[in-house]
């Protein structure tokens, strides 16, 4: 691939990327979420078209317009979220994607071929089982068979280990080595350093859509890769004025929370949060941040452990009760969870406060007050809209987020839980929101900030916890020198015990 | 007594035929993920078109073909709304029902009450029809009966034993995954809706030119809605639809049997609809996982750009 560029709505997802793979080689593609790894691979698989650049196979320039052409060129892809029909059997899923599936009796006719393949690589899969009966590892093997059956020379694996158990990861690595020995090329996308070092021959590091480093894994070490991935040595912020910690606001004690998949997503996490403090939780998304935020704000049940607000137990209380105890929440996925898109601005401005005396009287809302309140938010938070009698879906992401923040902090919360508050916003809105977070910190609130953006974390936070796989890897002051290894902590390679802190 | 039972069962087969045709069509349609609540309207259109064409040409088979074509063409409206425009399928389907009922009523106005003198001969299967009891019930029926059973079996074969069937079912389960396998999801949905419409229209044709041999407005009498319920009852399986449809055919007929016993005819006329409600109630008690409903039924599929 040569000089590939692609942008979405003016944001560069990939810029000037050059990449090559040789047969019998495993190439690692390393980078944080949103670095453009998946976009690049989707271009190669024909799901997106590059804005510029070329793709060559065996020195021949080709154009890949859709997945079928890509398959015909010998490219196979295993998506991060498996492209499988859950209610269908393994063999039906394979028949769906296999290009030589006969029209009549497809299941019977391709059975032998599938079994032969599955024996060749030691897959052990019962092909009559339904997909939903299989473990994640087995499902992944179905995806690999699908690609191999179509004659894939180049197999792209997008975050293949993110859904696997440690044992399944070992089996996957074994399979990949086997394939490599048979001359297949593999592109292995991951943000986990250990795996990249373990599996790949060569590694490319992507950051903000550009390639920022390349190395043979035998000539490099985890530390320098981590530095390349994060992009810089950590820069400390100057704008944040020093404030003395106030009294304890929130305490989280050994909580365990179950995630959507039914597995433990938050494992025995404890921390404390004080007045006049921003506490950051850094980590690659999907490591338990969402579940933790939802547990604290009362949306998700807590399995065990305690959450206390000013010494009062709020564990597993309703969201309204927790809100009334001074906890506000700026949720992630603002469109889905933060607003009601079809309602007007002024309805959205009081989504949580409608029951307060100042906005309602028995069964009726006091629309005058509601509208005045909305106008104040719009003015103070510089929400640009032509009118508050406007459906909120017509606003840009940044303006929606400003309104949400305005709503959440208008009642002077004692604690604000903010999940990825600036995700996907432009520079101006980001700056504005960050300033406001610092502002409410000064006014005496505590802020629990979840973010993937390290720059943001270091700019805003007084203390930072690094989360990986539902566990906290370290809790340090944000100017602690040991954060030069934050990349390793986020990848789960280093853990700093809270006890060590006192020694330093 | 024997005669009564045989003739009741025989008539149950006849009454079940349109239900089977319409249910099979709806199964194919829903398996691709599109809910079509317009069955009643399409059926009514099929009935009136078949009747008019048969009456004017004297050719019942021409009437059947015309009904088939009209049903398929009429269904394109629903396919366009729900696939291309990604509109709400419930609303679009209800509109189809109202439009179909209204349009057929208007087209059929001059034909109301006119008897159809052309008769479709029963297909008496040699030898098999000589089997005691069964021969009379199953092997000396009108052509629609055999066509319906054949088509239901063919639909089952198509869905379960062909590549196209896997593609259609995958579309209804997970259109995104299906598309990444290089399948044209939109084309398949159109195809399924149109085929389903053809089946509904056949059911209507049976009603007007074979079952009652006349046309009056509203003669479909809710059979389209029953077919939609039967689709669920048959767990989206055309083979299972066969006995489900004839069971309901039996309920339609049993009212004539019970009338002499002094039960109110108004109550008896309600029976099929009460049975439908009961069935839906029972089915909803079942574990949804085992229900086998297409996972993305009724959800418009949008290609996600980013």
């Amino acid at each position: 691939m040569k000089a590939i560029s692609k942008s979405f709505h003016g944001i560069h997802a990939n810029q000037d990327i050059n990449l090559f793979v040789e047969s019998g080689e495993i190439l690692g593609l390393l980078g944080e979420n949103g670095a453009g790894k998946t976009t690049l691979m989707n271009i190669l698989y024909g799901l997106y078209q590059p804005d510029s650049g070329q793709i060559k196979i065996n020195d021949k320039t080709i154009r890949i317009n859709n997945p079928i052409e890509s398959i015909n060129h010998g490219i196979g892809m295993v998506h991060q979220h498996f492209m499988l029909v859950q209610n269908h059997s393994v063999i039906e899923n394979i028949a769906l994607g296999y290009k030589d599936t006969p029209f009549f009796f497809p299941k019977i006719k391709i059975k032998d071929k599938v079994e032969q393949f599955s024996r060749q690589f030691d897959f052990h899969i019962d092909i009559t089982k339904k997909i939903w009966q299989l473990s994640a590892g087995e499902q992944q093997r179905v995806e690999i068979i699908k690609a191999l059956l179509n004659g894939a020379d180049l197999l792209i694996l997008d975050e293949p280990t993110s859904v696997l158990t440690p044992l399944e990861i070992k089996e996957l690595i074994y399979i990949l080595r086997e394939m490599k020995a048979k001359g297949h090329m593999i592109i292995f996308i991951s943000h986990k350093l250990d795996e990249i070092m373990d599996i790949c021959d060569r590694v490319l590091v992507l950051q903000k859509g550009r390639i920022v480093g390349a190395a043979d894994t035998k000539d490099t070490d985890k530390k320098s890769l981590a530095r390349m991935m994060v992009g810089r040595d950590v820069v400390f912020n100057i704008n944040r004025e020093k404030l003395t910690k106030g009294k304890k606001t929130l305490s989280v004690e050994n909580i365990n929370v179950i995630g959507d998949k039914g597995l433990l997503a938050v494992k025995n996490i404890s921390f404390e949060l004080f007045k006049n403090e921003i506490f950051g939780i850094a980590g690659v998304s999907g490591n338990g941040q969402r579940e933790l935020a939802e547990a604290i704000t009362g949306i998700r049940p807590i399995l065990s452990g305690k959450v206390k607000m000013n010494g009062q137990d709020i564990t597993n209380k309703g969201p309204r009760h927790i809100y009334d105890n001074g906890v506000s929440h700026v949720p992630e996925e603002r469109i889905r969870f933060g607003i009601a898109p079809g309602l007007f601005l002024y309805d959205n401005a009081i989504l949580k406060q409608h029951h307060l005396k100042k906005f309602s009287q028995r069964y009726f809302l006091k629309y005058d007050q509601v509208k005045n309140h909305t106008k104040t938010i719009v003015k103070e938070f510089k929400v640009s809209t032509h009118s508050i009698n406007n459906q909120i879906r017509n606003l840009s992401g940044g303006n929606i987020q400003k309104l949400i923040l305005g709503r959440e902090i208008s009642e002077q919360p004692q604690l604000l839980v903010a999940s990825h508050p600036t995700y996907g916003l432009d520079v101006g809105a980001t700056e504005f929101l960050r300033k406001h977070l610092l502002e409410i910190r000064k006014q005496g609130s505590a802020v629990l900030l979840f973010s993937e953006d390290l720059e943001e974390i270091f700019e805003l936070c007084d203390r930072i916890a690094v989360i990986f796989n539902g566990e906290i890897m370290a809790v340090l002051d944000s100017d602690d020198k040991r954060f030069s290894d934050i990349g390793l902590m986020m990848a789960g390679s280093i853990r700093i015990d809270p006890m060590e802190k006192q020694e330093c | 007594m024997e005669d009564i039972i045989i003739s009741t069962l025989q008539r149950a087969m006849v009454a079940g035929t349109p239900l089977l045709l319409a249910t099979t069509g709806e199964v194919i349609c829903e398996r691709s993920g599109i809910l079509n609540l317009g069955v009643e309207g399409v059926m009514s259109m099929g009935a009136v078109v078949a009747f008019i064409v048969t009456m004017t040409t004297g050719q019942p088979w021409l009437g059947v073909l015309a009904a088939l074509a009209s049903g398929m063409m009429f269904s394109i409206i629903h396919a366009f709304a729900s696939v291309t425009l990604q509109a709400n399928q419930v609303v679009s389907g209800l509109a189809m029902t109202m439009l179909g009922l209204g349009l057929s009523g208007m087209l059929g106005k001059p034909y109301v009450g006119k008897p159809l003198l052309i008769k479709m001969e029963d297909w008496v299967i040699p030898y098999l029809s000589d089997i005691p009891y069964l021969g009379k019930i199953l092997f000396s029926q009108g052509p629609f009966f055999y066509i319906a059973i054949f088509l239901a079996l063919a639909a089952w074969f198509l869905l379960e034993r062909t590549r196209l069937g896997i593609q259609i079912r995958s579309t209804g389960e997970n259109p995104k995954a299906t598309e990444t396998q290089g399948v044209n999801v939109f084309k398949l949905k159109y195809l399924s809706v149109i085929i389903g419409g053809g089946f509904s229209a056949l059911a209507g044709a049976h009603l007007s030119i074979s079952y009652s041999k006349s046309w009056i407005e509203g003669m479909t009498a809710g059979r389209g809605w029953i077919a939609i319920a039967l689709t669920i009852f048959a767990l989206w399986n055309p083979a299972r639809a066969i006995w489900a449809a004839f069971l309901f055919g039996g309920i339609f007929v049993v009212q004539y049997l019970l009338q002499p016993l002094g039960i109110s005819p108004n109550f008896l006329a309600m029976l099929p609809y009460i049975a439908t409600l009961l069935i839906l109630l029972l089915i909803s008690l079942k574990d949804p996982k085992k229900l086998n409903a297409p996972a993305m039924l009724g959800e418009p599929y949008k290609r996600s750009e980013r």
Side-chain angles (χ1 to χ4, degrees):
Chain A
M1 295 179 91
K2 241 183 170 173
I4 296 286
S5 297
K6 171 80 185 174
S7 54
F8 293 101
H9 312 302
I11 298 161
H12 291 290
N14 285 151
Q15 246 181 314
D16 249 348
I17 291 191
N18 293 304
L19 177 158
F20 67 93
V21 204
E22 290 164 354
S23 71
E25 182 183 53
I26 302 183
L27 173 72
L29 214 51
L30 183 70
E32 296 178 271
N33 284 42
K37 297 166 296 190
T38 304
T39 306
L40 183 64
M41 289 305 113
N42 281 339
I43 289 174
L44 191 52
Y45 193 57
L47 287 172
Y48 298 145
Q49 298 306 312
D51 298 338
S52 62
Q54 297 179 315
I55 300 170
K56 285 186 183 181
I57 291 179
N58 295 332
D59 284 332
K60 265 215 306 247
T61 305
I62 53 162
R63 241 190 105 72
I64 301 174
N65 292 313
N66 54 47
I68 310 175
E69 290 185 26
S70 169
I71 290 167
N72 289 337
H73 284 300
I75 299 169
M77 181 153 174
V78 176
H79 297 262
Q80 184 177 5
H81 305 286
F82 300 139
M83 292 295 172
L84 294 170
V85 179
Q86 292 289 323
N87 282 332
H88 285 182
S89 66
V90 172
I91 190 84
E92 282 174 320
N93 269 282
I94 294 172
L96 178 67
Y98 181 39
K99 55 186 177 187
D100 295 331
T101 303
F103 188 84
F104 289 111
F105 304 108
K107 286 185 270 187
I108 301 164
K109 285 184 185 161
I110 67 167
K111 191 173 159 232
D112 287 343
K113 190 138 196 192
V114 173
E115 279 180 341
Q116 177 200 328
F117 255 86
S118 120
R119 229 174 296 123
Q120 195 181 338
F121 291 97
D122 283 337
F123 285 171
H124 311 296
I125 291 179
D126 180 356
I127 57 171
T128 57
K129 269 196 180 164
K130 303 256 174 352
I131 295 295
W132 59 265
Q133 296 170 312
L134 302 182
S135 70
E138 288 173 313
Q139 293 188 22
Q140 189 171 56
R141 272 172 261 162
V142 175
E143 287 278 46
I144 294 176
I145 296 180
K146 267 163 68 180
L148 293 180
L149 261 181
N150 277 331
D153 299 319
L154 170 62
L155 187 66
I156 305 167
L157 297 156
D158 190 359
E159 304 273 1
T161 57
S162 59
V163 289
L164 302 185
T165 62
L167 184 69
E168 287 175 326
I169 293 176
K170 267 192 197 144
E171 286 169 1
L172 174 70
I173 292 173
Y174 170 78
I175 290 167
L176 295 183
R177 294 225 169 96
E178 197 85 342
M179 287 173 58
K180 178 186 158 183
K182 293 197 165 89
H184 290 282
M185 298 173 267
I186 295 163
I187 297 182
F188 186 94
I189 304 178
S190 180
H191 56 248
K192 292 179 188 154
L193 292 165
D194 296 303
E195 294 164 15
I196 293 269
M197 289 300 289
D198 194 16
I199 302 168
C200 302
D201 302 306
R202 247 175 350 111
V203 55
L204 288 178
V205 185
L206 249 77
Q207 197 211 340
K208 293 192 176 151
R210 289 171 176 282
I211 291 193
V212 293
D216 283 348
T217 42
K218 58 179 189 296
D219 302 331
T220 186
D221 57 24
K222 277 195 264 182
K223 208 163 180 167
S224 53
L225 280 182
R227 190 159 297 151
M228 278 194 252
M229 175 163 98
V230 177
R232 72 205 127 77
D233 288 324
V234 174
V235 189
F236 299 116
N237 167 60
I238 345 117
N239 296 331
R240 193 180 65 233
E241 55 182 309
K242 271 256 174 276
L243 291 175
T244 41
K245 252 191 222 175
K247 69 176 177 39
K248 183 157 75 175
T249 305
L250 175 80
S251 74
V252 174
E253 295 163 16
N254 304 318
I255 64 166
N256 286 294
V257 181
I258 303 261
D260 288 338
K261 285 182 200 143
L263 302 170
L264 217 51
V266 171
K267 298 169 192 161
N268 214 16
I269 282 185
S270 308
F271 59 85
E272 289 172 338
L273 202 50
F274 302 89
K275 245 172 113 86
N276 299 93
E277 181 188 48
I278 300 185
F279 184 71
I281 299 212
V284 177
S285 73
N287 276 302
Q289 293 97 316
R290 186 162 66 89
E291 289 82 358
L292 180 58
E294 289 178 353
I296 293 171
T297 50
I299 310 171
R300 187 178 283 271
I302 294 167
L303 196 63
S304 64
K306 275 208 158 33
V307 180
K308 285 183 188 158
M309 192 64 200
N310 295 328
Q312 251 196 334
D313 191 358
I314 56 164
T315 315
N316 287 334
K317 291 274 165 29
R320 161 95 61 101
H321 180 93
I322 292 175
Y323 176 77
D324 289 342
N325 270 289
V327 182
S328 273
H329 184 203
V330 176
E332 66 179 337
E333 293 198 59
R334 60 187 83 93
I335 309 277
R336 274 181 67 195
F337 302 120
I339 55 166
L343 296 187
F344 295 121
L345 253 68
Y346 59 78
D347 296 314
N348 274 292
I350 54 152
L351 275 188
K352 280 188 187 167
Q353 293 103 328
H354 60 91
H355 61 288
L356 297 183
K357 273 245 155 57
K358 62 178 182 181
F359 295 129
S360 63
Q361 199 173 29
R362 286 173 188 269
Y363 307 110
F364 300 100
L365 288 171
K366 299 180 191 162
Y367 270 106
D368 287 344
Q369 267 94 324
V370 171
K371 286 186 177 174
N372 280 335
H373 174 71
T374 312
K375 279 179 192 150
T376 319
I377 294 180
V378 165
K379 210 169 132 206
E380 266 180 41
F381 288 83
K382 301 195 170 72
V383 181
S384 83
T385 171
H386 60 82
S387 156
I388 61 164
N389 303 313
N390 187 359
Q391 285 188 2
I392 196 163
R393 70 165 61 147
N394 297 329
L395 269 55
S396 72
N399 284 312
I400 289 174
Q401 193 71 323
K402 284 178 190 170
L403 187 89
I404 292 176
L405 187 68
R407 172 180 81 208
E408 296 300 329
I409 66 184
S410 64
E411 298 295 318
Q412 247 103 49
Q414 297 173 54
L415 169 68
L416 176 70
V417 178
S419 301
H420 312 285
T422 61
Y423 179 82
L425 301 186
D426 62 47
V427 189
T430 302
E431 205 56 46
F432 183 86
L433 286 168
R434 287 182 189 169
K435 271 204 190 119
H436 263 280
L437 291 180
L438 288 174
E439 182 61 31
I440 63 165
R441 159 179 177 264
K442 197 173 155 191
Q443 285 168 1
S445 299
V447 178
L448 179 60
L449 175 70
F450 291 87
S451 182
E452 282 189 280
D453 185 341
L454 290 178
E455 207 175 314
E456 173 166 285
I457 290 266
F458 282 105
E459 191 177 315
L460 298 180
C461 300
D462 301 285
R463 283 185 306 139
I464 297 166
V466 180
I467 193 169
F468 172 75
N469 204 9
E471 293 179 66
I472 292 206
M473 306 305 287
V475 181
L476 300 173
D477 287 341
S478 60
D479 48 8
D480 196 298
K481 293 266 180 330
R482 285 170 290 177
F483 267 130
S484 57
D485 285 333
I486 191 165
L488 291 175
M489 294 175 204
M490 280 162 65
S493 304
I494 291 188
R495 180 182 209 132
I496 295 173
D497 234 285
M499 288 302 115
E500 267 176 67
K501 197 176 167 186
Q502 272 87 31
E503 293 162 24
C504 286
Chain B
M1 187 63 201
E2 226 170 63
D3 286 352
I4 296 175
I5 292 174
I6 289 177
S7 86
T8 305
L9 286 176
Q10 203 177 7
R11 277 191 290 167
M13 297 297 126
V14 180
T17 300
L19 296 177
L20 178 56
L21 281 165
T23 305
T24 307
E26 184 68 6
V27 167
I28 296 176
C29 182
E30 291 196 8
R31 271 296 174 104
S32 80
I34 303 282
L35 178 69
N36 187 353
L37 296 184
V39 180
E40 182 82 4
V42 181
M43 202 188 265
S44 194
M45 282 296 287
V48 80
V49 168
F51 188 81
I52 294 172
V53 172
T54 310
M55 188 103 183
T56 40
T57 64
Q59 299 286 340
W61 290 110
L62 212 59
V64 171
L65 281 181
L68 187 66
S70 73
M72 291 171 109
M73 261 154 40
F74 191 49
S75 300
I76 294 177
I77 302 174
H78 184 60
F80 181 72
S82 51
V83 182
T84 308
L85 302 180
Q86 291 148 14
N88 184 317
Q89 294 169 16
V90 172
V91 175
S92 165
L94 289 176
M96 290 280 290
T97 289
M98 288 188 247
L99 184 63
L101 287 176
L103 202 59
S104 58
M106 195 184 79
L107 291 174
K109 204 115 224 182
Y111 298 90
V112 172
K114 290 190 184 171
L116 191 65
L117 300 172
I118 303 125
K119 193 172 183 287
M120 288 182 110
E121 289 299 323
D122 283 350
W123 289 357
V124 180
I125 314 279
Y127 307 115
L128 288 177
S129 56
D130 296 335
I131 302 172
Y133 308 115
L134 278 184
K136 279 211 173 116
I137 298 167
L138 295 177
F139 301 108
S140 42
Q141 291 279 6
F144 276 100
F145 173 74
Y146 304 104
I147 292 173
I149 290 181
F150 171 77
L151 286 177
L153 292 174
W156 173 84
F157 184 83
L158 175 86
L159 287 174
E160 300 295 330
R161 292 289 182 273
T162 68
R163 177 174 200 184
L164 182 65
I166 292 179
Q167 290 175 341
I168 290 177
R169 286 187 288 127
S170 301
T171 301
E173 292 284 344
N174 188 344
K176 194 174 173 203
T178 312
E179 197 172 27
T180 55
Q181 305 304 318
V183 175
N184 189 334
V185 171
F186 295 94
K187 220 159 85 185
L188 279 180
K189 288 191 176 219
Y190 261 90
L191 182 74
S192 307
V193 174
I194 290 171
I195 292 178
F199 274 86
S200 299
L202 280 185
H206 170 261
L207 285 177
S208 67
I209 64 177
S210 168
Y211 190 52
S212 63
K213 301 196 190 65
S214 66
W215 160 260
I216 46 164
E217 200 177 336
M219 71 182 298
T220 47
R223 286 186 178 82
W225 297 108
I226 292 177
I228 290 167
L230 285 180
T231 303
I232 303 170
F233 184 44
L235 305 178
W236 290 270
N237 180 342
R240 214 190 280 254
I242 296 177
W243 68 261
F246 291 122
L247 178 72
F248 265 67
I251 298 174
F252 264 94
V253 172
V254 87
Q255 40 184 302
Y256 303 111
L257 207 69
L258 296 180
Q259 228 160 342
L261 303 180
I263 303 171
S264 149
N266 293 330
F267 173 78
L268 289 172
M270 276 161 51
L271 272 183
Y273 310 101
I274 293 173
T276 307
L277 283 176
L278 279 178
I279 292 277
L280 288 179
L281 196 73
L282 288 177
I283 275 274
S284 66
L285 298 177
K286 229 179 135 159
D287 179 8
K289 189 105 219 171
K290 289 194 195 129
L291 209 55
N292 204 19
M296 295 299 275
L297 180 61
E299 302 278 334
Y301 174 57
K302 290 177 186 137
R303 240 190 224 133
S304 60
E305 250 290 315
R306 191 168 114 162

